[in-house]
Structure formats: structure tokens, C-alpha cells
Amino acid sequence: MTRADLDKQPHEVAEMFDGVAERYDLTNTILSFGQDRGWRRATRAALGLRPGERVLDVGAGTGVSTEEMALSGAYAVGADLSVGMLAAGRRGRPGVPLVAGDALALPFPDGAFDAVTISFALRNVVDTGAALRELARVVRPGGRLVVCEFSHPTSPAFRTAYLSYLMRSLPAVARAVSSNPDAYVYLAESIRAWPDQEGLAARMLEAGPWSRVGWRNLTGGIVALHRATKV
């Protein structure tokens, strides 16, 4: 089984997720104590989707988040770098449109979508700024972006306990439920190395052409929803 390093080479990231595809959704639910369902609902609400709009879900994996977006009545398309994740998604969710796509070179024309979202995948891309610019490229002017990503708990005591869970308990639980527990060691390390809420907001503004950047914490800051509008 492959485990990516924090330099996030695309082929290593793709191979790592290929190796966890079959039990990925179940493992995430167990490791998050079921919070992942609420995070998906919050992402859909933050996008403010309307029936008939088009939304692209980048880093969609097996399409569980894409399926959530479609509940709004919007036309939702998922894209992911891992062919293993896409294959698992097509078996489990044959009605969800899923395509192979790199967040740095998406297979869609300029301005093809009204909104774009990326959940728990932006930190796996080798160039965050380039990914944010590519997300902007496929969205029409005035379109929306929502990034759902792990972040930094706002309470110092809670953050200490959370980091202990990430670095000790999470890999141990993953050994019991995942087909590639080493992937979850990378997961823990990548979360710890990721910028905090203000840091990600600054990156979004620097990347452009995003404006009106703001965020909302979920589960005490374990996850943050960052929102922006394309200029």
C-alpha cells in the first residue's frame, strides 16, 4: 500500500487513495464519530445552491459529497484524481456523475459552473494557490466557492486533546478499520501541518480572483467552511 508524503506528489496521493477506496466512507464516519454527515450538510447549505444551478465537487472521492450537493436540486458533478475512488463511487452511486480530474487541471471549460466546492482535499494538492485559481477558472463571474477542510480548534485545551487523538488514537483506530492504515498517518500529519482559519483565508485572497472571503467553524474548529465569491 502507498502512503503519500507531505510534498504531496499527485501520483502518490492518487495511489494512496486508490488503496483506501473500498472502505473510505465507512472509515471516515468511524474516525469522525459520525460528524462527517453534518459537515457535508453544512457545506451544501453554505453553497446556497438553487435548483437548476451547476456545481462542481472537486476531490469528490466516491461521490458521497456530490450526492449531498444534488439534494439541493442543483446539477452536481464530482471530480477526483483517484481512479480507485471513482470506481468505488460508480459502483455504489451509479446515478452520480463522476469524472477523473486533477484540481490543478480540471477537464471543464471556463465559467462552466455556478459554484464549486472542495472538501478535505485542498490540503492534498501540491500547489494550493494554483488549485484555487483553477477552481476560479471553471466558475462564472459572481460564482461561489466553499472549501470544507480540517482546521485548528479554537480552544487551546480542545486543540491539545484533538492533536493527541490525531497523532495517537486515529492511526490506531485506522489499523482496525482501514485497508491502508498508513494513509491515516499521512492524514494526521497533513492536518497538523495545514494553516489555521485565518491562514487559509489569506491564501484564498492571495490566489485570486476570490473576494468576500469568510469562514465558519464546525465542531469547535476541527473543520472550517471557507466561503468566497469570484470577482
Side-chain angles (χ1 to χ4, degrees):
M1 291 289 186
T2 299
R3 175 199 158 187
D5 293 319
L6 290 183
D7 61 1
K8 305 170 189 175
Q9 293 305 306
H11 70 281
E12 293 181 351
V13 172
E15 290 172 6
M16 182 183 70
F17 281 103
D18 288 347
V20 299
E22 291 301 325
R23 305 187 72 184
Y24 183 73
D25 294 333
L26 174 62
T27 302
N28 284 348
T29 297
I30 292 171
L31 292 176
S32 70
F33 303 99
Q35 295 293 308
D36 58 322
R37 300 183 182 98
W39 298 337
R40 287 193 293 272
R41 290 193 296 268
T43 301
R44 173 165 58 88
L47 282 163
L49 296 167
R50 296 180 291 274
E53 286 194 312
R54 296 161 298 171
V55 58
L56 176 63
D57 180 21
V58 179
T62 65
V64 64
S65 53
T66 316
E67 188 174 53
E68 178 70 38
M69 298 303 112
L71 295 176
S72 65
Y75 178 70
V77 179
D80 200 274
L81 187 64
S82 165
V83 294
M85 296 285 276
L86 292 170
R90 287 168 182 151
R91 286 192 297 272
R93 300 178 181 86
V96 175
L98 296 173
V99 300
D102 186 338
L104 296 174
L106 293 166
F108 302 102
D110 296 357
F113 295 92
D114 299 292
V116 62
T117 183
I118 181 167
S119 295
F120 307 111
L122 186 59
R123 75 179 191 287
N124 297 323
V125 181
V126 66
D127 188 333
T128 303
L132 289 165
R133 289 187 291 274
E134 180 66 357
L135 296 177
R137 182 188 66 79
V138 300
V139 175
R140 63 168 175 80
R144 293 99 67 198
L145 165 68
V146 171
V147 178
C148 180
E149 188 54 89
F150 290 111
S151 196
H152 292 217
T154 54
S155 162
F158 183 34
R159 177 165 172 75
T160 298
Y162 172 62
L163 288 175
S164 177
Y165 169 71
L166 275 183
M167 305 313 296
R168 298 179 183 178
S169 301
L170 185 146
V173 175
R175 282 193 291 272
V177 297
S178 173
S179 55
N180 183 8
D182 280 349
Y184 289 87
V185 176
Y186 160 84
L187 170 72
E189 292 175 349
S190 68
I191 292 171
R192 187 171 62 173
W194 188 244
D196 65 9
Q197 291 86 331
E198 290 186 4
L200 179 55
R203 289 193 185 188
M204 292 169 71
L205 287 169
E206 289 167 4
W210 298 110
S211 66
R212 297 169 59 188
V213 174
W215 71 86
R216 179 166 71 93
N217 290 318
L218 303 177
T219 320
I222 286 178
V223 168
L225 291 178
H226 281 72
R227 300 180 299 276
T229 302
K230 181 178 176 179
V231 177

